[in-house]
Amino acid sequence: MNIGKENGNVEMKSKQKWKELIEENDYILVGVGEEWESDEMGEELSEAYERLAGMLAGTDYFVVTTAMDGWIWKTDLDKNRIVAPCGNRNFLQCSAACCEEIWRREDAPEGGQCPRCGASLVPNTVEEKPYVEAGYLPQWKAYMTWLQRSLNRKLLLLELGVGFRTPTVIRWPFEKTAYLNQKSTFYRVHEKLFQLPDNLDGRGNAVAKNSVEWLCSL
Ligand SMILES: [Zn+2]
């Protein structure tokens, strides 16, 4: 396992290093996970998103996030290049999932009840069972199409703060994509869960740092 030497004097060079790494890849796939989830868009988080958007500007990227706070939609990242399969707490769904409709919290029907069946409205996230998936499926299709295009091309995978809350969404598929694509480079940044599988033939890099802080330090 390669633990990134991202501290000390090396840090001075990391901005340039990242610029080069991004330039030499055709596609950039970013995974945003639990380390980014927050009740409020604090200064550091805002800065991290800003840096990420700046880093990705002008590249062919896609961002998959499991954060359910919806902050990512308020950043400079391209909304056509984001998918949030775990949902967004700012949207509501019928708790009985009688329909595929979702409402912005501020536009929700009065009384907080589903206009069709009368059940209570609940946040449109994967934590609700049943979960109304209509909110993210169109973007999921866009993501799958994009991912197909990246096959056999130079692909940089940047996994930021993704743990094991929903490993089937980012963590395990990213490992598989990195394994299958021999032209890929995989960076896993996480304060504690930075461990890599051992089948990446030197294409994997682990950075044992909180990914929000790490991005702000670039
Ligand atoms: Zn309903």
Side-chain angles (χ1 to χ4, degrees), residues 57-95:
T59 71
D60 198 345
Y61 69 89
F62 217 100
V63 183
V64 191
T65 180
T66 56
M68 292 177 272
D69 50 35
W71 296 126
I72 195 166
W73 302 104
K74 298 184 190 297
T75 67
D76 289 336
L77 290 162
D78 183 347
K79 290 168 185 58
N80 297 314
R81 295 176 178 274
I82 301 171
V83 62
C86 295
N88 183 340
R89 295 200 178 103
N90 304 312
F91 284 80
L92 301 177
Q93 64 163 72
C94 168
S95 56

CSV table of all heavy atoms in Angstrom, one decimal, residues 57-95:
chain,number,residue,atom,x,y,z
A,57,ALA,N,-12.8,22.1,-13.2
A,57,ALA,CA,-13.3,23.0,-14.3
A,57,ALA,C,-12.6,22.7,-15.6
A,57,ALA,O,-11.4,22.6,-15.6
A,57,ALA,CB,-13.1,24.5,-13.9
A,58,GLY,N,-13.4,22.6,-16.7
A,58,GLY,CA,-12.8,22.3,-18.0
A,58,GLY,C,-12.4,20.9,-18.2
A,58,GLY,O,-11.9,20.6,-19.3
A,59,THR,N,-12.6,20.0,-17.3
A,59,THR,CA,-12.3,18.6,-17.5
A,59,THR,C,-13.6,17.8,-17.7
A,59,THR,O,-14.7,18.3,-17.4
A,59,THR,CB,-11.6,18.0,-16.3
A,59,THR,OG1,-12.5,17.9,-15.2
A,59,THR,CG2,-10.4,18.8,-15.8
A,60,ASP,N,-13.4,16.6,-18.1
A,60,ASP,CA,-14.6,15.7,-18.3
A,60,ASP,C,-14.8,14.9,-17.1
A,60,ASP,O,-14.1,13.8,-16.9
A,60,ASP,CB,-14.4,14.8,-19.5
A,60,ASP,CG,-15.7,14.2,-20.1
A,60,ASP,OD1,-16.7,14.2,-19.3
A,60,ASP,OD2,-15.7,13.7,-21.2
A,61,TYR,N,-15.6,15.4,-16.1
A,61,TYR,CA,-15.7,14.7,-14.8
A,61,TYR,C,-17.1,14.3,-14.5
A,61,TYR,O,-18.1,14.7,-15.2
A,61,TYR,CB,-15.2,15.7,-13.7
A,61,TYR,CG,-16.1,16.9,-13.5
A,61,TYR,CD1,-17.1,16.9,-12.5
A,61,TYR,CD2,-15.8,18.1,-14.1
A,61,TYR,CE1,-17.9,18.0,-12.3
A,61,TYR,CE2,-16.6,19.2,-13.9
A,61,TYR,CZ,-17.6,19.2,-12.9
A,61,TYR,OH,-18.4,20.3,-12.7
A,62,PHE,N,-17.2,13.5,-13.5
A,62,PHE,CA,-18.5,13.1,-12.9
A,62,PHE,C,-18.3,13.0,-11.4
A,62,PHE,O,-17.3,12.4,-11.0
A,62,PHE,CB,-19.1,11.9,-13.5
A,62,PHE,CG,-20.6,11.9,-13.7
A,62,PHE,CD1,-21.2,12.2,-14.9
A,62,PHE,CD2,-21.4,11.8,-12.6
A,62,PHE,CE1,-22.5,12.3,-15.0
A,62,PHE,CE2,-22.8,11.9,-12.7
A,62,PHE,CZ,-23.4,12.1,-13.9
A,63,VAL,N,-19.3,13.5,-10.6
A,63,VAL,CA,-19.2,13.4,-9.2
A,63,VAL,C,-20.3,12.5,-8.7
A,63,VAL,O,-21.5,12.8,-9.0
A,63,VAL,CB,-19.2,14.8,-8.5
A,63,VAL,CG1,-19.1,14.6,-7.0
A,63,VAL,CG2,-18.2,15.7,-9.1
A,64,VAL,N,-20.0,11.5,-7.9
A,64,VAL,CA,-21.0,10.7,-7.2
A,64,VAL,C,-20.9,11.0,-5.8
A,64,VAL,O,-19.9,11.0,-5.2
A,64,VAL,CB,-20.8,9.2,-7.4
A,64,VAL,CG1,-22.0,8.4,-6.9
A,64,VAL,CG2,-20.4,8.8,-8.8
A,65,THR,N,-22.0,11.4,-5.2
A,65,THR,CA,-22.0,11.7,-3.7
A,65,THR,C,-23.0,10.9,-3.0
A,65,THR,O,-24.1,10.6,-3.4
A,65,THR,CB,-22.3,13.2,-3.5
A,65,THR,OG1,-22.2,13.5,-2.1
A,65,THR,CG2,-23.6,13.7,-4.0
A,66,THR,N,-22.6,10.5,-1.7
A,66,THR,CA,-23.5,9.8,-0.9
A,66,THR,C,-24.0,10.7,0.3
A,66,THR,O,-24.8,10.3,1.1
A,66,THR,CB,-22.9,8.5,-0.2
A,66,THR,OG1,-21.7,8.9,0.4
A,66,THR,CG2,-22.6,7.5,-1.3
A,67,ALA,N,-23.5,12.0,0.3
A,67,ALA,CA,-23.9,12.9,1.2
A,67,ALA,C,-25.4,13.3,1.0
A,67,ALA,O,-25.8,13.5,-0.2
A,67,ALA,CB,-23.1,14.2,1.2
A,68,MET,N,-26.2,13.4,2.0
A,68,MET,CA,-27.6,13.6,1.8
A,68,MET,C,-28.0,15.0,2.2
A,68,MET,O,-29.2,15.3,2.3
A,68,MET,CB,-28.4,12.6,2.6
A,68,MET,CG,-28.3,11.2,2.1
A,68,MET,SD,-29.1,9.9,3.1
A,68,MET,CE,-27.8,9.5,4.3
A,69,ASP,N,-27.0,15.9,2.4
A,69,ASP,CA,-27.3,17.3,2.9
A,69,ASP,C,-27.7,18.2,1.7
A,69,ASP,O,-28.1,19.3,2.0
A,69,ASP,CB,-26.2,17.8,3.7
A,69,ASP,CG,-24.8,17.6,3.0
A,69,ASP,OD1,-24.8,17.7,1.7
A,69,ASP,OD2,-23.8,17.4,3.6
A,70,GLY,N,-27.4,17.8,0.5
A,70,GLY,CA,-27.8,18.7,-0.7
A,70,GLY,C,-26.8,19.9,-0.9
A,70,GLY,O,-27.0,20.6,-1.8
A,71,TRP,N,-25.8,20.0,-0.1
A,71,TRP,CA,-24.9,21.2,-0.3
A,71,TRP,C,-24.2,21.2,-1.6
A,71,TRP,O,-24.0,22.3,-2.2
A,71,TRP,CB,-23.8,21.3,0.8
A,71,TRP,CG,-24.3,21.4,2.2
A,71,TRP,CD1,-24.1,20.6,3.3
A,71,TRP,CD2,-25.2,22.4,2.7
A,71,TRP,NE1,-24.8,21.1,4.4
A,71,TRP,CE2,-25.5,22.2,4.0
A,71,TRP,CE3,-25.9,23.5,2.1
A,71,TRP,CZ2,-26.3,23.0,4.8
A,71,TRP,CZ3,-26.7,24.3,2.9
A,71,TRP,CH2,-26.9,24.1,4.2
A,72,ILE,N,-24.0,20.1,-2.2
A,72,ILE,CA,-23.2,20.0,-3.4
A,72,ILE,C,-23.9,20.7,-4.6
A,72,ILE,O,-23.3,21.2,-5.5
A,72,ILE,CB,-23.0,18.5,-3.8
A,72,ILE,CG1,-21.9,18.4,-4.9
A,72,ILE,CG2,-24.2,17.8,-4.2
A,72,ILE,CD1,-21.3,17.0,-5.1
A,73,TRP,N,-25.3,20.8,-4.5
A,73,TRP,CA,-26.1,21.4,-5.5
A,73,TRP,C,-25.9,22.9,-5.5
A,73,TRP,O,-26.3,23.7,-6.4
A,73,TRP,CB,-27.5,21.0,-5.4
A,73,TRP,CG,-27.7,19.5,-5.5
A,73,TRP,CD1,-28.0,18.7,-4.5
A,73,TRP,CD2,-27.6,18.7,-6.7
A,73,TRP,NE1,-28.0,17.4,-5.0
A,73,TRP,CE2,-27.8,17.4,-6.3
A,73,TRP,CE3,-27.3,19.0,-8.1
A,73,TRP,CZ2,-27.8,16.3,-7.2
A,73,TRP,CZ3,-27.2,17.9,-9.0
A,73,TRP,CH2,-27.5,16.6,-8.6
A,74,LYS,N,-25.4,23.5,-4.4
A,74,LYS,CA,-25.2,24.9,-4.3
A,74,LYS,C,-23.8,25.4,-4.6
A,74,LYS,O,-23.4,26.5,-4.3
A,74,LYS,CB,-25.6,25.3,-2.8
A,74,LYS,CG,-27.0,25.1,-2.4
A,74,LYS,CD,-27.4,25.6,-1.1
A,74,LYS,CE,-28.7,25.1,-0.6
A,74,LYS,NZ,-29.8,25.6,-1.4
A,75,THR,N,-23.0,24.4,-5.1
A,75,THR,CA,-21.6,24.8,-5.4
A,75,THR,C,-21.4,25.1,-6.9
A,75,THR,O,-22.4,25.1,-7.6
A,75,THR,CB,-20.7,23.6,-5.1
A,75,THR,OG1,-21.0,22.5,-6.0
A,75,THR,CG2,-20.9,23.1,-3.6
A,76,ASP,N,-20.2,25.4,-7.3
A,76,ASP,CA,-19.9,25.7,-8.7
A,76,ASP,C,-19.8,24.4,-9.6
A,76,ASP,O,-19.5,24.5,-10.8
A,76,ASP,CB,-18.7,26.5,-8.9
A,76,ASP,CG,-18.9,27.9,-8.3
A,76,ASP,OD1,-20.1,28.4,-8.3
A,76,ASP,OD2,-17.9,28.6,-7.9
A,77,LEU,N,-20.0,23.3,-9.0
A,77,LEU,CA,-19.9,22.0,-9.8
A,77,LEU,C,-21.1,22.0,-10.8
A,77,LEU,O,-22.2,22.5,-10.5
A,77,LEU,CB,-19.9,20.8,-8.9
A,77,LEU,CG,-18.7,20.6,-8.0
A,77,LEU,CD1,-18.9,19.7,-6.9
A,77,LEU,CD2,-17.5,20.1,-8.9
A,78,ASP,N,-20.8,21.4,-11.9
A,78,ASP,CA,-21.8,21.3,-13.0
A,78,ASP,C,-22.9,20.3,-12.6
A,78,ASP,O,-22.7,19.1,-12.4
A,78,ASP,CB,-21.1,20.8,-14.3
A,78,ASP,CG,-22.1,20.8,-15.5
A,78,ASP,OD1,-23.3,20.9,-15.3
A,78,ASP,OD2,-21.5,20.7,-16.6
A,79,LYS,N,-24.2,20.8,-12.5
A,79,LYS,CA,-25.3,19.9,-12.0
A,79,LYS,C,-25.6,18.8,-12.9
A,79,LYS,O,-26.1,17.8,-12.5
A,79,LYS,CB,-26.5,20.8,-11.8
A,79,LYS,CG,-26.4,21.7,-10.6
A,79,LYS,CD,-27.5,22.8,-10.6
A,79,LYS,CE,-27.2,23.7,-9.4
A,79,LYS,NZ,-25.9,24.4,-9.6
A,80,ASN,N,-25.1,18.9,-14.2
A,80,ASN,CA,-25.3,17.8,-15.1
A,80,ASN,C,-24.3,16.7,-14.9
A,80,ASN,O,-24.3,15.6,-15.5
A,80,ASN,CB,-25.2,18.3,-16.5
A,80,ASN,CG,-26.3,19.3,-16.9
A,80,ASN,OD1,-27.5,19.0,-16.5
A,80,ASN,ND2,-25.9,20.4,-17.5
A,81,ARG,N,-23.3,17.0,-14.0
A,81,ARG,CA,-22.2,16.0,-13.8
A,81,ARG,C,-22.2,15.6,-12.3
A,81,ARG,O,-21.2,15.2,-11.8
A,81,ARG,CB,-20.9,16.7,-14.1
A,81,ARG,CG,-20.7,17.0,-15.6
A,81,ARG,CD,-19.4,17.7,-15.9
A,81,ARG,NE,-19.2,18.0,-17.3
A,81,ARG,CZ,-18.7,17.2,-18.1
A,81,ARG,NH1,-18.2,16.0,-17.7
A,81,ARG,NH2,-18.5,17.5,-19.4
A,82,ILE,N,-23.4,15.6,-11.7
A,82,ILE,CA,-23.5,15.1,-10.3
A,82,ILE,C,-24.6,14.1,-10.2
A,82,ILE,O,-25.7,14.3,-10.8
A,82,ILE,CB,-23.8,16.3,-9.4
A,82,ILE,CG1,-22.8,17.4,-9.4
A,82,ILE,CG2,-24.0,15.9,-7.9
A,82,ILE,CD1,-23.2,18.7,-8.7
A,83,VAL,N,-24.4,13.1,-9.4
A,83,VAL,CA,-25.5,12.2,-9.0
A,83,VAL,C,-25.4,12.0,-7.5
A,83,VAL,O,-24.3,11.8,-7.0
A,83,VAL,CB,-25.5,10.9,-9.9
A,83,VAL,CG1,-24.3,10.0,-9.6
A,83,VAL,CG2,-26.8,10.1,-9.5
A,84,ALA,N,-26.6,12.0,-6.9
A,84,ALA,CA,-26.7,11.8,-5.5
A,84,ALA,C,-27.6,10.6,-5.2
A,84,ALA,O,-28.8,10.9,-4.8
A,84,ALA,CB,-27.1,13.1,-4.8
A,85,PRO,N,-27.2,9.4,-5.3
A,85,PRO,CA,-28.1,8.2,-5.2
A,85,PRO,C,-28.7,8.0,-3.8
A,85,PRO,O,-29.7,7.3,-3.7
A,85,PRO,CB,-27.1,7.0,-5.5
A,85,PRO,CG,-25.9,7.6,-6.2
A,85,PRO,CD,-25.8,9.0,-5.6
A,86,CYS,N,-28.1,8.6,-2.8
A,86,CYS,CA,-28.7,8.5,-1.5
A,86,CYS,C,-29.8,9.5,-1.1
A,86,CYS,O,-30.3,9.5,-0.1
A,86,CYS,CB,-27.6,8.5,-0.4
A,86,CYS,SG,-26.5,7.1,-0.6
A,87,GLY,N,-30.0,10.4,-2.1
A,87,GLY,CA,-31.1,11.4,-1.9
A,87,GLY,C,-30.6,12.7,-1.3
A,87,GLY,O,-29.4,13.0,-1.2
A,88,ASN,N,-31.6,13.5,-1.0
A,88,ASN,CA,-31.4,14.8,-0.5
A,88,ASN,C,-32.4,15.2,0.5
A,88,ASN,O,-33.6,15.1,0.2
A,88,ASN,CB,-31.5,15.8,-1.8
A,88,ASN,CG,-31.2,17.2,-1.5
A,88,ASN,OD1,-31.2,17.7,-0.3
A,88,ASN,ND2,-30.9,18.0,-2.5
A,89,ARG,N,-32.0,15.6,1.7
A,89,ARG,CA,-32.9,15.9,2.8
A,89,ARG,C,-33.8,17.1,2.5
A,89,ARG,O,-34.7,17.4,3.2
A,89,ARG,CB,-32.1,16.1,4.1
A,89,ARG,CG,-31.5,14.8,4.6
A,89,ARG,CD,-31.1,14.9,6.1
A,89,ARG,NE,-30.5,13.6,6.4
A,89,ARG,CZ,-29.2,13.4,6.6
A,89,ARG,NH1,-28.4,14.4,6.5
A,89,ARG,NH2,-28.7,12.2,6.9
A,90,ASN,N,-33.4,17.9,1.5
A,90,ASN,CA,-34.2,19.1,1.2
A,90,ASN,C,-35.4,18.8,0.4
A,90,ASN,O,-36.1,19.7,0.1
A,90,ASN,CB,-33.3,20.1,0.5
A,90,ASN,CG,-32.1,20.5,1.4
A,90,ASN,OD1,-32.2,20.7,2.5
A,90,ASN,ND2,-30.9,20.4,0.8
A,91,PHE,N,-35.5,17.6,0.0
A,91,PHE,CA,-36.7,17.2,-0.8
A,91,PHE,C,-37.5,16.2,0.0
A,91,PHE,O,-36.9,15.5,0.9
A,91,PHE,CB,-36.2,16.5,-2.1
A,91,PHE,CG,-35.8,17.4,-3.2
A,91,PHE,CD1,-34.5,18.0,-3.1
A,91,PHE,CD2,-36.6,17.8,-4.2
A,91,PHE,CE1,-34.1,18.9,-4.1
A,91,PHE,CE2,-36.2,18.7,-5.1
A,91,PHE,CZ,-34.9,19.3,-5.1
A,92,LEU,N,-38.8,16.2,-0.2
A,92,LEU,CA,-39.7,15.3,0.5
A,92,LEU,C,-40.4,14.3,-0.4
A,92,LEU,O,-40.6,14.6,-1.6
A,92,LEU,CB,-40.8,16.1,1.3
A,92,LEU,CG,-40.2,17.1,2.3
A,92,LEU,CD1,-41.4,17.9,2.9
A,92,LEU,CD2,-39.4,16.5,3.4
A,93,GLN,N,-40.7,13.2,0.1
A,93,GLN,CA,-41.4,12.1,-0.6
A,93,GLN,C,-42.6,11.6,0.2
A,93,GLN,O,-42.6,11.9,1.4
A,93,GLN,CB,-40.5,11.0,-1.0
A,93,GLN,CG,-40.0,10.2,0.3
A,93,GLN,CD,-39.4,8.9,0.0
A,93,GLN,OE1,-38.3,8.8,-0.5
A,93,GLN,NE2,-40.1,7.8,0.4
A,94,CYS,N,-43.5,10.9,-0.4
A,94,CYS,CA,-44.6,10.2,0.4
A,94,CYS,C,-43.9,9.1,1.2
A,94,CYS,O,-43.2,8.3,0.6
A,94,CYS,CB,-45.6,9.7,-0.6
A,94,CYS,SG,-46.8,8.5,0.1
A,95,SER,N,-44.3,9.0,2.5
A,95,SER,CA,-43.7,7.9,3.3
A,95,SER,C,-44.1,6.5,2.8
A,95,SER,O,-43.4,5.5,3.1
A,95,SER,CB,-44.0,8.1,4.8
A,95,SER,OG,-45.4,8.2,5.0
